[in-house]
Every structure is written in structure tokens, then in C-alpha cells.
């Protein structure tokens, strides 16, 4: 059976991904994704996430950003949304929902009641 160009590209991407130093470091440190380092750097530079922040993570799966936010936020609330499943993270409320749907908007408003300080998203 002849392999397609797409499967060659996918295989090549997986090989490059596993050689990537951030991928390897994320696995060593127990992060769910290499994108966790993006949020660490962004927060180091801009200091947007504080220990009492109420944070909404849109497109959260696999949970790398929620995982980092959970380490920073001590007294605030974290709500994560995605259409894909995500393994549970302590102190993170997860909903398997599409954030564009109107019932999701109501759910978010109900969860945060008074304020959302930070909205993050790593959707592409």
C-alpha cells in the first residue's frame, strides 16, 4: 500500500516534535504540553495572572495552560472550556463545551458571577 503525502508529513512532524527541547522538557517536568512554557514566559513578562485572579481558559485541552495557571492562582477561580476531553486538574473547573454556544456564555457568567480577570486561549 502506497503512503500518502499527508501521512509522511504527520510522521515527520511527530519526529520533529519529539526532538524538540521544549517537548522533552515538558515531559520531564510533568507538563501536559510544551505550550506551558509560552504561558510561563508571557506571565513572567506581563504579570497578567496573579494569585487571586479569576481565569477563563478557552480551548484548554490538553490542559497545559490550565495546569500552569493552577500553580499561580491560589485564591481565584479557574474555568476551562474545550470541545475535547481534558483530564482533571485540581482546583480547575472543566466543561466540555463549545464557547461559541449561547448556553456556554450563560454557564461562564454563572461560574464567575462578578468578574473575570484574565481570559487565555491557545486555540489555533
Amino acid at each position: 500500500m502506497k503512503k500518502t503525502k499527508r501521512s509522511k508529513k504527520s510522521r515527520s512532524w511527530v519526529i520533529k516534535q519529539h526532538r524538540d527541547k521544549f517537548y522533552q522538557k515538558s515531559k520531564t517536568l510533568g507538563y501536559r504540553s510544551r505550550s506551558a512554557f509560552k504561558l510561563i514566559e508571557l506571565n513572567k513578562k506581563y504579570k497578567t495572572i496573579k494569585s487571586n485572579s479569576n481565569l477563563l481558559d478557552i480551548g484548554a485541552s490538553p490542559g497545559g495552560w490550565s495546569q500552569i495557571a493552577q500553580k499561580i492562582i491560589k485564591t481565584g477561580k479557574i474555568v476551562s472550556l474545550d470541545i475535547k476531553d481534558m483530564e482533571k486538574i485540581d482546583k480547575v473547573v472543566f466543561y466540555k463545551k463549545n464557547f461559541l454556544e449561547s448556553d456556554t456564555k450563560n454557564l461562564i457568567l454563572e461560574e464567575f458571577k462578578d468578574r473575570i480577570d484574565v481570559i487565555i486561549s491557545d486555540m489555533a
Side-chain angles (χ1 to χ4, degrees):
M1 181 164 41
K2 189 176 178 181
K3 303 230 184 223
T4 65
K5 285 185 180 182
R6 185 174 182 104
S7 67
K8 281 185 179 180
K9 285 181 183 179
S10 295
R11 199 171 44 247
S12 175
W13 179 85
V14 168
I15 291 167
K16 285 180 186 174
Q17 186 76 0
H18 286 6
R19 289 182 185 155
D20 180 82
K21 70 177 185 176
F22 290 109
Y23 174 83
Q24 293 172 355
K25 190 174 179 181
S26 70
K27 296 307 163 206
T28 302
L29 295 174
Y31 294 150
R32 294 176 179 221
S33 64
R34 64 189 293 278
S35 67
F37 297 107
K38 290 181 200 176
L39 187 59
I40 291 168
E41 288 300 313
L42 285 168
N43 201 53
K44 198 179 289 184
K45 184 174 183 177
Y46 298 108
K47 297 176 183 16
T48 53
I49 303 172
K50 297 175 178 40
S51 67
N52 65 344
S53 294
N54 285 335
L55 180 135
L56 175 63
D57 185 1
I58 302 171
S61 187
W65 282 21
S66 292
Q67 185 181 31
I68 296 303
Q70 181 262 347
K71 291 176 188 276
I72 299 168
I73 297 171
K74 303 299 179 209
T75 58
K77 185 172 200 168
I78 303 169
V79 175
S80 299
L81 303 170
D82 203 311
I83 57 173
K84 297 178 184 178
D85 286 324
M86 185 176 92
E87 287 184 34
K88 184 168 178 20
I89 300 173
D90 288 340
K91 298 186 281 181
V92 174
V93 177
F94 173 74
Y95 293 102
K96 185 177 179 181
K97 300 233 158 266
N98 184 336
F99 83 101
L100 296 173
E101 294 175 359
S102 60
D103 68 323
T104 305
K105 176 185 172 185
N106 295 332
L107 180 71
I108 292 167
L109 293 172
E110 187 178 304
E111 277 290 340
F112 287 107
K113 291 183 178 56
D114 54 352
R115 75 178 211 276
I116 299 175
D117 300 308
V118 181
I119 299 174
I120 58 176
S121 178
D122 194 25
M123 289 189 298

